[in-house]
Amino acid sequence: MPNYNGNQLLLSDILLSLPRDKIDNKTKFKRGEYKFYPHMFTSYKINEAIGLYFEIYNLRTNPKSYFQITYSIEKINSRQTSQKSVLSMISNLFNKRKLQPSLTYEYEGSLNDEQIFIDLFFDNLEKGEYELSIKVNDLYSGQTASRSHFLSTVK
């Protein structure tokens, strides 16, 4: 069990969930006021919201916490590079660079430790395997922490 005590900004593991509007009130899965339904071993449909739950530890308060979260998703296949000529690789840098979809939000909280449950919707994802990354920036302390989780999409 990880130790989340101290002054270092930390993130829990990311729990993938069904979107909040699809969660039955009878669910047995709860964390504080949040109800969720784990979605760990199945794929998301293309153009379906992705439910995420995670916790942030050791935010600096002054008297409230103020932090930024960036969510990004990258198709795993797009990382793989085949043998290409140097000119082709340079051309790709300037002409065909694929941007990684991301969303950034700023939050103001009241606690050093915050629970986040959010539904994210990334437009135009293709069928495939993805890495979802979360980066938290504590805007008071300047510390950052990040986690990632793999997921797949189907048609």
Side-chain angles (χ1 to χ4, degrees):
M1 181 80 162
N3 181 357
Y4 293 110
N5 295 320
N7 295 324
Q8 181 69 32
L9 183 67
L10 298 169
L11 296 181
S12 69
D13 289 334
I14 301 166
L15 174 73
L16 298 179
S17 173
L18 288 177
R20 287 180 288 179
D21 64 345
K22 294 185 178 181
I23 296 173
D24 187 332
N25 281 334
K26 296 177 185 175
T27 184
K28 296 177 183 177
F29 301 99
K30 295 178 186 176
R31 180 79 169 136
E33 66 184 68
Y34 296 106
K35 297 176 184 175
F36 56 89
Y37 190 84
H39 199 271
M40 298 178 289
F41 303 113
T42 57
S43 299
Y44 285 89
K45 292 181 182 173
I46 293 174
N47 297 324
E48 176 181 58
I50 300 168
L52 300 176
Y53 175 84
F54 61 97
E55 296 175 0
I56 306 169
Y57 300 96
N58 307 317
L59 289 161
R60 184 174 293 169
T61 53
N62 187 20
K64 295 186 175 198
S65 60
Y66 186 48
F67 55 101
Q68 185 179 60
I69 303 176
T70 300
Y71 306 92
S72 57
I73 193 161
E74 180 181 9
K75 192 166 186 184
I76 294 172
N77 297 355
S78 68
R79 289 190 203 159
Q80 298 171 350
T81 57
S82 58
Q83 298 271 335
K84 295 182 181 180
S85 70
V86 173
L87 291 176
S88 174
M89 289 170 61
I90 292 171
S91 172
N92 283 343
L93 283 174
F94 294 105
N95 298 323
K96 300 177 184 176
R97 191 172 180 183
K98 252 188 165 178
L99 295 178
Q100 178 177 319
S102 66
L103 302 165
T104 301
Y105 298 99
E106 287 188 5
Y107 295 86
E108 182 178 88
S110 58
L111 304 170
N112 295 95
D113 302 334
E114 294 284 347
Q115 296 176 318
I116 304 293
F117 190 2
I118 188 168
D119 295 338
L120 297 180
F121 187 81
F122 292 98
D123 289 338
N124 302 319
L125 290 183
E126 301 170 349
K127 177 183 174 186
E129 302 293 319
Y130 289 86
E131 181 177 14
L132 174 71
S133 299
I134 297 174
K135 180 180 177 184
V136 176
N137 180 15
D138 184 332
L139 297 173
Y140 284 139
S141 72
Q143 292 185 49
T144 60
S146 58
R147 285 279 190 167
S148 61
H149 197 290
F150 295 97
L151 63 98
S152 60
T153 56
V154 295
K155 288 188 178 187

